[in-house]
């Protein structure tokens, strides 16, 4: 959440509730938080339950960028330590588009119309 809001313009952390002493999660970890990325609101939490699943590219965050500088910067930062699924390029459906999985396993589709 901190990483994404630091990279993406017009983004903000709107609320954070943390686990306290003797609660189900690790003290100080995120019980529930809300944040926005370019006006779209999201919720997240630090789960104290270990799951057998993770993120897959079947779920992607789609960001429409306003400038070429913005899409280049996001593509470079989000792909660092992750994986490129589609190179940043001019495609028939977009002036510039790229699809990456970031270092946390979250899939991002970046578009410059």
């Amino acid at each position: 959440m901190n990483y994404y809001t630091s990279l993406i313009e017009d983004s903000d952390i709107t609320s954070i509730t943390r686990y306290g002493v003797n609660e189900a999660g690790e003290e100080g970890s995120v019980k529930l938080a809300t944040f926005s990325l370019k006006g779209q609101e999201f919720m997240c939490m630090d789960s104290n339950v270990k799951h057998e699943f993770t993120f897959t590219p079947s779920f992607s965050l789609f960001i429409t960028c306003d400038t070429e500088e913005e899409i280049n910067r996001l593509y470079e930062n989000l792909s660092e330590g992750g994986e490129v699924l589609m190179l940043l390029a001019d495609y028939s459906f977009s002036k510039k588009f790229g699809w990456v999985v970031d270092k946390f396993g979250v899939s991002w589709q970046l578009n410059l119309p």
Side-chain angles (χ1 to χ4, degrees):
M1 172 177 64
N2 290 322
Y3 178 67
Y4 301 137
T5 57
S6 74
L7 284 181
I8 300 170
E9 296 172 9
D10 300 321
S11 300
D12 190 31
I13 297 170
T14 52
S15 71
I16 302 176
T17 304
R18 298 189 182 277
Y19 286 105
V21 179
N22 299 324
E23 290 190 303
E26 181 182 331
E27 183 179 357
S29 64
V30 175
K31 188 178 208 177
L32 182 64
T34 58
F35 63 102
S36 66
L37 302 176
K38 290 190 82 123
Q40 177 66 47
E41 191 170 19
F42 297 90
M43 295 175 71
C44 65
M45 62 184 267
D46 288 325
S47 177
N48 60 329
V49 177
K50 296 296 180 201
H51 300 283
E52 294 298 319
F53 57 84
T54 185
F55 296 108
T56 73
S58 65
F59 170 83
S60 294
L61 297 176
F62 190 96
I63 301 287
T64 300
C65 298
D66 297 317
T67 65
E68 191 148 347
E69 183 279 326
E70 180 184 18
I71 196 169
N72 291 339
R73 181 179 49 77
L74 290 176
Y75 181 86
E76 180 180 322
N77 284 285
L78 291 170
S79 63
E80 186 176 322
E83 177 185 3
V84 172
L85 300 178
M86 284 179 75
L87 293 173
L88 189 60
D90 182 347
Y91 294 94
S92 62
F93 58 86
S94 175
K95 176 181 173 185
K96 201 165 197 180
F97 179 87
W99 193 351
V100 300
V101 176
D102 70 23
K103 63 185 176 183
F104 301 110
V106 177
S107 173
W108 295 84
Q109 295 184 56
L110 306 171
N111 185 51
L112 181 64

